[in-house]
Amino acid sequence: MKIKTSELKQKVSKYLELVGMPSHDIETFTGLIVEQEIIGNQFSPIGELPGKHARLIDNIRVDKEEIVVDKPSLKLIKGNGRLAPLITAGYIDEIVKSAKKQGIYAFGIYDSTYNDFFDVFCRKIAAQDCIAIIAENGGPQGVVPHGGKKDIFGTNPIAYGIPTNSFPIIFDAATAMYAWGRIRQAKENGEKLPDNAYLTKEGVITTDPNDAVAILPFGGYKGYAINLLLEVLSGALVRGKSGLDQPSDSQKYIGTLIIVIDPASFGDIKDFKASTTKLANDILAIPPMNPNEPVRVPGQRGSVYLEEAQKTGVVEIKDRDWEKFSSALEKLQNN
């Protein structure tokens, strides 16, 4: 279905108000949800509100984070249960400003919640002519080491954003073969899981979402090694927990690491963006193996969707996701 962006924001804001989000956070969180919905994702932020994001909001213990490490090129935040996306959104401009001053800046979060909206955050950073790298030890456990039968790592998403003279290059994905939420999605839709990706508790490959308890890393031993690196960088490094030390019943030990690089510190920003723009255009000019599936640059499709939504003022949402959200909102309003 299609809905006006302004109307969607009103409904999301109302939902967040009814579930008890502090009023000073509603506008920020609404903006993140709506922008991610426009960009597109395997999991609709609107459809996820009654589920994943509801659990995030329920996890709030206090609504004020604290700075525990503050250096010229580094800051570490203890979230005290505050939502990681809200912490990230609140510091984005400061992170970019510090990166432009120092050349590079690292920002960590722990004692918080799952983070999200990495695509949105990378776009905001790239829009200010900086490179973004964002990672999270997206756990607790769910991903097995290469060759193993038992899960030990999180799905550990990584995202990056690179500025160009046109659309930014944006990538956002788990380092598991598939996102953990694919299991729930398959259950809800009565579908089978992709083959050769999920394991039962006995360590046997399965396509049955009711039996799946773990996922293989993407890319064999190479993907496993990258997943392991992110487990440390966004776990133990930022005072979160890594591996089996991360409890299965709490989000507070999940960490986020954001690294922002200022290309202008290395040379002329015009030269850099001319180079990244040419690279993107060269990629798009590569003949496709399948004529019906043109070669793409990561993030290009989301940029087109954003541009279209800005022109029309309309957001398109899958009917099933809209029905889930609308039903949840109606129940809240009737209580």
Side-chain angles (χ1 to χ4, degrees), residues 12 61 63 69 90 104 116 124 139 205 234 243 284 298 333:
V12 171
R61 300 193 297 277
D63 65 353
V69 177
I104 187 170
D116 213 333
K124 292 183 182 303
I205 291 290
S234 54
L284 294 172
Q333 290 174 322

Short mmCIF file of all heavy atoms in Angstrom, two decimals, residues 12 61 63 69 90 104 116 124 139 205 234 243 284 298 333:
data_model
loop_
_atom_site.label_atom_id
_atom_site.label_comp_id
_atom_site.label_asym_id
_atom_site.label_seq_id
_atom_site.Cartn_x
_atom_site.Cartn_y
_atom_site.Cartn_z
N VAL A 12 3.39 6.49 13.33
CA VAL A 12 4.52 5.90 14.05
C VAL A 12 4.76 6.64 15.37
O VAL A 12 4.99 6.03 16.42
CB VAL A 12 5.79 5.92 13.18
CG1 VAL A 12 7.01 5.51 14.00
CG2 VAL A 12 5.63 4.99 11.98
N ARG A 61 15.92 1.09 30.49
CA ARG A 61 16.05 1.15 31.94
C ARG A 61 16.15 2.60 32.40
O ARG A 61 15.56 2.99 33.40
CB ARG A 61 17.28 0.36 32.40
CG ARG A 61 17.22 -1.11 32.01
CD ARG A 61 18.28 -1.91 32.73
NE ARG A 61 19.64 -1.51 32.40
CZ ARG A 61 20.30 -1.91 31.33
NH1 ARG A 61 19.70 -2.70 30.46
NH2 ARG A 61 21.52 -1.53 31.09
N ASP A 63 16.97 6.76 30.51
CA ASP A 63 17.04 7.40 29.19
C ASP A 63 18.21 8.38 29.09
O ASP A 63 18.16 9.35 28.38
CB ASP A 63 15.72 8.09 28.86
CG ASP A 63 15.41 9.25 29.80
OD1 ASP A 63 16.15 9.43 30.77
OD2 ASP A 63 14.45 9.98 29.51
N VAL A 69 34.82 7.12 28.29
CA VAL A 69 36.14 7.41 27.73
C VAL A 69 35.96 8.54 26.73
O VAL A 69 35.09 8.49 25.87
CB VAL A 69 36.75 6.18 27.00
CG1 VAL A 69 38.10 6.56 26.37
CG2 VAL A 69 36.93 5.02 27.95
N GLY A 90 22.10 10.67 18.24
CA GLY A 90 22.42 11.87 19.00
C GLY A 90 23.85 12.33 18.86
O GLY A 90 24.15 13.52 19.08
N ILE A 104 40.35 10.89 11.72
CA ILE A 104 39.64 9.63 11.94
C ILE A 104 39.09 9.64 13.35
O ILE A 104 39.68 10.24 14.26
CB ILE A 104 40.57 8.41 11.71
CG1 ILE A 104 39.77 7.10 11.77
CG2 ILE A 104 41.74 8.41 12.71
CD1 ILE A 104 40.59 5.89 11.31
N ASP A 116 20.64 -0.46 15.16
CA ASP A 116 19.89 -0.67 13.91
C ASP A 116 20.05 0.57 13.05
O ASP A 116 20.77 1.49 13.41
CB ASP A 116 18.41 -0.92 14.22
CG ASP A 116 17.77 -1.89 13.23
OD1 ASP A 116 18.26 -1.95 12.08
OD2 ASP A 116 16.81 -2.57 13.59
N LYS A 124 23.91 9.42 6.38
CA LYS A 124 24.07 10.72 7.03
C LYS A 124 25.55 11.11 7.11
O LYS A 124 25.91 12.28 6.95
CB LYS A 124 23.45 10.69 8.42
CG LYS A 124 21.93 10.57 8.42
CD LYS A 124 21.35 10.62 9.81
CE LYS A 124 19.84 10.44 9.82
NZ LYS A 124 19.12 11.44 8.99
N GLY A 139 24.30 -10.22 18.67
CA GLY A 139 24.06 -11.49 19.33
C GLY A 139 22.81 -11.45 20.18
O GLY A 139 21.97 -10.56 19.99
N ILE A 205 22.11 -29.66 8.95
CA ILE A 205 21.50 -28.66 8.06
C ILE A 205 20.00 -28.88 7.99
O ILE A 205 19.51 -30.01 7.87
CB ILE A 205 22.10 -28.76 6.64
CG1 ILE A 205 23.56 -28.31 6.64
CG2 ILE A 205 21.30 -27.92 5.65
CD1 ILE A 205 23.76 -26.82 6.85
N SER A 234 33.33 -5.13 18.18
CA SER A 234 32.11 -4.54 18.72
C SER A 234 31.62 -5.28 19.97
O SER A 234 30.51 -5.08 20.42
CB SER A 234 31.01 -4.54 17.66
OG SER A 234 30.80 -5.83 17.14
N GLY A 243 31.51 -13.85 22.17
CA GLY A 243 31.37 -15.30 22.20
C GLY A 243 30.41 -15.80 23.25
O GLY A 243 29.36 -15.20 23.51
N LEU A 284 28.79 0.26 -12.83
CA LEU A 284 27.48 0.23 -13.48
C LEU A 284 27.58 -0.06 -14.97
O LEU A 284 26.62 -0.55 -15.58
CB LEU A 284 26.77 1.57 -13.26
CG LEU A 284 26.38 1.89 -11.81
CD1 LEU A 284 25.85 3.32 -11.70
CD2 LEU A 284 25.33 0.90 -11.31
N PRO A 298 26.22 -0.99 -4.44
CA PRO A 298 25.49 -1.09 -3.18
C PRO A 298 24.90 0.24 -2.74
O PRO A 298 25.58 1.27 -2.76
CB PRO A 298 26.57 -1.56 -2.19
CG PRO A 298 27.58 -2.28 -3.04
CD PRO A 298 27.59 -1.53 -4.35
N GLN A 333 -4.53 1.77 20.88
CA GLN A 333 -5.48 2.89 20.98
C GLN A 333 -6.77 2.49 21.69
O GLN A 333 -7.43 3.33 22.31
CB GLN A 333 -5.79 3.42 19.58
CG GLN A 333 -4.62 4.14 18.93
CD GLN A 333 -4.89 4.54 17.49
OE1 GLN A 333 -5.51 3.79 16.74
NE2 GLN A 333 -4.40 5.70 17.10
#
